[in-house]
Amino acid sequence: MKAGMIPHEMESPFSEGLALLEGARVVHHFRRESFEIFEQRYRCQDTGHIFYTPALDQLNLAQVHNQYRSRHQIPFPKEIRAIREQAGMPASKMSEILGFGVNGYRQYEQGEMPTQAHAKLIQLAANPERLSEFVEARAWIFSPNQLQRIRTRLLQRQHGGNLLSPVLNYLWRLHADPDEFTGFVKPDFQKLAHFVLFFVEKAKPLKTRLNKLLFYADFLHFKETGFSISGTAYRAIPFGPVPAHFHELFGLLESEGFVKIEEKDFPNGHIGELFEPAKTVDPSLFEESEWAVMNRVLDSLAEMRTKELIDRSHQEEGWKANQQTRDLISYQAFGFSLIGPEGG
């Protein structure tokens, strides 16, 4: 089995025959609330019995938790860790200044669901000014050197600024935080830039092909884990799914020195935009499952003709349901029905 891939069939524990992967929309309950998910399970072909594996349990639970976090604006584990790391303090100290107990913050970083009260405190801590207030209120728990280092880092965060913020705000519009249109991942410019750079470096694609490679990598990873890779929202247009505001995105990547875009003339008189790398992709930005999916998509689609690639994307339910209105494609609604680059 390929890394990170959920097999479509396996030996049944109820017979000597096969069990096939299937999905069904069901309602799960969490903290007295209801959430519809596309539940993944295996069905024994001989007995009809349904069963689950640990990987499927994790994927099904992720769907419930992702929707709960999005509904109540509860930060995701990566965001929770990033807040602490930007301040440069141990998880135990972060937990102490917020009043979570010794291991509370670390457990939230590892995926445990915060209470809504704790989630609000974490959201407040995301603001460097408020986090500074939390630190000063319990300054006595830090050594003098620790306190000075934390103060310096938080001051830099308050005044550092980001010249790209207006452009990034436009690219992500209302979807700068994890939701069903970002694959429950908070968009990050550096990771997105290297996500694009991976396919540019490996395939040197034209724009239409690049758009499809990005779509299939993000949606396939969501199908198998409950999370996209890049946090990119995708829109349905006549040529298939594309990143929302892809013209502005690619222009920004060129201006920031990640890619070079050149016009290419074709014998039929058409002109296409050819992408070439201007930097080297950084694999350390990606998790093992993300890197594996990116390579699988590359292996499956990089050599496919552009027309075939467009036709393949037109088979996807997410494109069919949104192409008339050019709406964004929900990962939660359509990710689990993905036919995928490998046809499965």
Side-chain angles (χ1 to χ4, degrees), residues 170-181:
Y170 173 77
L171 289 177
W172 293 321
R173 290 284 181 91
L174 302 177
H175 305 287
D177 293 314
D179 64 16
E180 63 178 303
F181 297 107

Side-chain angles (χ1 to χ4, degrees), residues 151-224:
R151 284 171 172 167
T152 299
R153 293 187 67 159
L154 290 176
L155 191 63
Q156 290 172 342
R157 284 185 60 201
Q158 290 178 45
H159 301 289
N162 186 348
L163 297 177
L164 295 179
S165 291
V167 182
L168 297 178
N169 288 340
Y170 173 77
L171 289 177
W172 293 321
R173 290 284 181 91
L174 302 177
H175 305 287
D177 293 314
D179 64 16
E180 63 178 303
F181 297 107
T182 71
F184 300 103
V185 169
K186 185 177 181 65
D188 174 81
F189 178 68
Q190 282 297 316
K191 187 167 184 178
L192 174 57
H194 282 264
F195 180 56
V196 174
L197 186 59
F198 170 85
F199 290 107
V200 171
E201 187 179 272
K202 303 294 184 182
K204 296 182 175 58
L206 293 169
K207 183 167 60 180
T208 299
R209 179 182 299 277
L210 176 59
N211 282 331
K212 303 304 170 287
L213 293 171
L214 298 173
F215 166 77
Y216 273 114
D218 263 332
F219 268 72
L220 179 60
H221 192 266
F222 180 85
K223 181 179 183 180
E224 297 185 352

Side-chain angles (χ1 to χ4, degrees), residues 189 196 247-263 273-276 278-279:
F189 178 68
V196 174
H247 293 296
E248 293 83 358
L249 169 62
F250 295 150
L252 177 59
L253 292 177
E254 184 176 37
S255 69
E256 291 298 307
F258 286 94
V259 300
K260 293 183 287 188
I261 306 174
E262 299 179 359
E263 289 189 348
E273 291 179 296
L274 179 66
F275 285 68
E276 294 191 354
K279 291 185 179 182

Side-chain angles (χ1 to χ4, degrees), residues 26-142:
V26 300
V27 174
H28 278 239
H29 301 282
F30 180 71
R31 293 185 177 176
R32 299 183 180 181
E33 297 183 37
S34 301
F35 301 90
E36 183 180 270
I37 72 168
F38 196 78
E39 186 180 78
Q40 304 286 288
R41 67 270 187 106
Y42 287 105
R43 184 183 295 274
C44 174
Q45 297 302 287
D46 293 325
T47 67
H49 286 139
I50 289 173
F51 66 96
Y52 305 84
T53 64
L56 293 187
D57 285 337
Q58 183 177 355
L59 178 57
N60 292 331
L61 184 61
Q63 292 185 62
V64 176
H65 284 185
N66 289 349
Q67 292 181 73
Y68 182 84
R69 288 181 190 271
S70 181
R71 180 181 293 178
H72 295 286
Q73 297 182 313
I74 295 176
F76 283 70
K78 290 182 180 179
E79 297 176 87
I80 295 172
R81 183 170 62 250
I83 293 169
R84 174 183 62 81
E85 290 177 344
Q86 289 174 15
M89 73 176 77
S92 60
K93 297 294 186 184
M94 192 74 172
S95 194
E96 191 169 354
I97 66 171
L98 295 178
F100 293 170
V102 177
N103 295 315
Y105 202 88
R106 179 178 290 107
Q107 291 170 344
Y108 294 152
E109 288 186 6
Q110 293 172 348
E112 183 175 317
M113 184 70 71
T115 64
Q116 291 190 32
H118 282 189
K120 289 178 180 178
L121 286 172
I122 295 170
Q123 289 170 325
L124 289 174
N127 183 315
E129 293 183 7
R130 295 305 303 272
L131 184 52
S132 293
E133 294 174 5
F134 287 128
V135 170
E136 297 303 330
R138 294 212 171 193
W140 54 269
I141 73 172
F142 301 100

